[in-house]
Amino acid sequence: MPHRSTQRIGLFALTRTLAWLRICAIAGQSAAVLVCAWWMQLAIPLLPLLLGIGLLAVFSVFAAWRLTQPWPLREWEAVGHIAFDTLVLGYLLYFTGGASNPFITLLLVPIALSAAALPGRAVLTVAALAGVAYVSLLYSYVPLPLPMAADSPSRFTLHVVGMGVNFVIMALLLSFFISRLAHVLRLQQLEVQRVRERALRDEGILAIATQAAGAAHELNTPLSTMRTLLPELRREHADDETLAEDLALLESQVDRCRTILREMVAFGKAQLSQEPERLTVAVFIHGCLERFQLLRPEAEVTLPLDEDVARIVLRTPPGLRHALLNLLNNAADASAINHSNAVALHVSRDGDWLQLSVRDHGPGFDTEGELTLLGYSQKQTGLGIGLALAEATAERLNGELIASNTARGAEVCLRLPLAVIAER
């Protein structure tokens, strides 16, 4: 799959480059024909030349329209565009001296461009087409109607000038368009690498989820046994107040574990059903904070929430709540390192994006490049899956997760497009 995606993007970049190059060719060819006909007073076949340039202009409009269409480009389409450009160039060279024209080397430009983005067989096809055009122009062409004799120095000087102009044009075209095309291809290679890293991370998350489901199933039996025995132990040791309090705390923790397991099952069912909850931002945020306060009662959370943002209705996917809870829990752990319980949650709207920013008063991030790698954690007791799960949720919703250091700690911002998560 990555190879096919890269090939499609490469074809689009090549076709777009050809479109820009075609516009430059139309302008340059029109200028050259007019200069030769009006300024140099050469009796060139003006009508056939303008007809060829006009045909290229019509095809340029068609190619620009094709780039705006949603269906993907095919390899044969790119080769067809190059073939049409080569035929038109050969047609124009036929009426202007054929292979003796200094601009004959422009036939090499399509080969150079196709070599940067097309597979070998397509490059060979383009090269063969350019070779056939060159050989044909060696034997069949309309000579340039120069007034000088064939052995005149002036004729040779004119040819050298044409070669110089052709060299400048070739240098500009190759340096600009090929460097631009190579830049696009490098960006696509980086994107392919990111996609592979995300696929590996998602495979790791899936493996953890599978193990968690099995563990949840196995833990249900011992938790049920403890839930049955703990009340009996409390009755047997009712006289020991200290032990009774400990047993009561242990019983509450067992109930909490059972609640977490039930929520895991409910979350899995909701994920399979793909039915999002329809909640306002205020209800969703306050629900998350209530759950977070149960998990971390010592945390002191501040929440500035604008009224306009609070009234936005969200189609909340199942994983968003857990992503926000992971960020809040990580912030509480970071603040605890500096003996602080402060955690700030800031909800805002930035154009068409909803931003959930979580700030802490911790030591900040040592590095920002590997924070979302599965298994990477700056806490000694961390599992290294909190930020990875949050980033996976953000990517699934076409959003992004941005981590940065602040003057008093760190900030993790979860940016989500309202077009995806908001009720229309």
Side-chain angles (χ1 to χ4, degrees):
M1 292 299 293
H3 172 71
R4 292 183 180 179
S5 177
T6 304
Q7 188 178 15
R8 285 198 299 269
I9 299 174
L11 290 175
F12 181 82
L14 173 63
T15 309
R16 185 174 57 184
T17 301
L18 289 173
W20 283 106
L21 185 60
R22 200 173 291 117
I23 294 175
C24 296
I26 293 172
Q29 291 164 359
S30 301
V33 169
L34 295 178
V35 166
C36 291
W38 292 348
W39 182 60
M40 299 181 65
Q41 298 295 321
L42 297 181
I44 57 176
L46 189 61
L47 183 60
L49 292 175
L50 293 179
L51 179 61
I53 297 174
L55 187 62
L56 186 62
V58 172
F59 183 78
S60 178
V61 174
F62 165 76
W65 169 83
R66 174 63 184 88
L67 289 174
T68 62
Q69 301 308 304
W71 57 83
L73 287 165
R74 305 295 181 185
E75 179 183 315
W76 61 267
E77 287 187 77
V79 174
H81 286 201
I82 295 175
F84 186 86
D85 294 335
T86 302
L87 291 175
V88 171
L89 179 59
Y91 171 82
L92 296 177
L93 290 173
Y94 171 80
F95 287 102
T96 54
S100 62
N101 192 316
F103 295 97
I104 189 67
T105 53
L106 289 176
L107 291 172
L108 297 175
V109 175
I111 302 176
L113 291 176
S114 61
L118 294 178
R121 63 178 182 274
V123 177
L124 290 177
T125 302
V126 173
L129 181 62
V132 170
Y134 183 84
V135 173
S136 300
L137 292 172
L138 282 174
Y139 301 99
S140 177
Y141 59 90
V142 177
L144 281 173
L146 296 175
M148 291 80 69
D151 56 348
S152 175
S154 300
R155 179 185 180 92
F156 179 75
T157 301
L158 185 62
H159 185 80
V160 171
V161 171
M163 292 177 61
V165 174
N166 179 57
F167 175 81
V168 173
I169 294 175
M170 289 281 291
L172 292 176
L173 291 179
L174 293 179
S175 60
F176 178 74
F177 286 104
I178 292 185
S179 63
R180 182 180 176 183
L181 185 60
H183 175 68
V184 172
L185 293 178
R186 284 194 297 269
L187 293 179
Q188 291 156 9
Q189 290 175 356
L190 293 176
E191 181 62 25
V192 170
Q193 183 179 356
R194 284 194 292 266
V195 169
R196 289 175 179 172
E197 292 176 354
R198 291 171 186 171
L200 292 175
R201 183 205 59 198
D202 293 343
E203 289 179 4
I205 292 175
L206 180 60
I208 293 174
T210 303
Q211 295 295 328
H217 178 72
E218 296 176 3
L219 286 174
N220 188 52
T221 300
L223 287 176
S224 299
T225 303
M226 285 189 286
R227 190 169 183 273
T228 303
L229 294 178
L230 284 172
E232 297 180 2
L233 291 175
R234 288 179 61 190
R235 286 193 297 269
E236 292 178 2
H237 300 279
D239 298 335
D240 192 341
E241 296 182 0
T242 303
L243 181 59
E245 292 178 358
D246 293 340
L247 291 174
L249 177 61
L250 184 59
E251 186 177 358
S252 66
Q253 294 298 317
V254 170
D255 290 337
R256 179 179 168 185
C257 291
R258 286 173 56 85
T259 301
I260 293 174
L261 291 179
R262 286 195 294 267
E263 289 180 354
M264 287 176 60
V265 175
F267 171 73
K269 292 181 179 178
Q271 190 76 16
L272 290 175
S273 65
Q274 297 294 324
E275 286 294 331
E277 299 178 273
R278 285 169 173 80
L279 304 172
T280 63
V281 171
V283 173
F284 170 72
I285 295 298
H286 288 299
C288 291
L289 290 183
E290 290 177 2
R291 172 69 185 279
F292 177 67
Q293 291 292 345
L294 291 176
L295 297 174
R296 306 294 293 266
E298 75 282 0
E300 301 173 359
V301 183
T302 58
L303 175 63
L305 183 60
D306 185 79
E307 293 183 359
D308 293 335
V309 178
R311 288 193 293 266
I312 297 176
V313 179
L314 302 179
R315 300 174 66 253
T316 311
L320 183 57
R321 180 179 287 106
H322 289 266
L324 182 56
L325 288 174
N326 283 333
L327 298 182
L328 291 170
N329 192 55
N330 285 344
D333 290 337
S335 295
I337 297 176
N338 285 347
H339 308 287
S340 173
N341 293 325
V343 175
L345 174 60
H346 183 69
V347 183
S348 61
R349 179 174 181 173
D350 182 16
D352 296 331
W353 294 79
L354 180 67
Q355 296 186 145
L356 306 175
S357 301
V358 180
R359 301 176 184 175
D360 60 61
H361 290 179
F365 297 120
D366 295 337
T367 176
E368 298 180 10
E370 301 177 347
L371 293 175
T372 57
L373 292 180
L374 190 62
Y376 178 84
S377 177
Q378 297 185 172
K379 299 179 292 184
Q380 294 181 353
T381 59
L383 298 177
I385 61 175
L387 286 178
L389 291 174
E391 188 186 38
T393 301
E395 291 176 356
R396 189 169 63 251
L397 300 176
N398 296 331
E400 57 185 356
L401 188 70
I402 303 174
S404 60
N405 289 324
T406 62
R408 303 183 61 183
E411 178 181 7
V412 179
C413 180
L414 181 61
R415 284 171 50 87
L416 302 171
L418 290 173
V420 176
I421 65 171
E423 184 74 16
R424 297 182 180 178

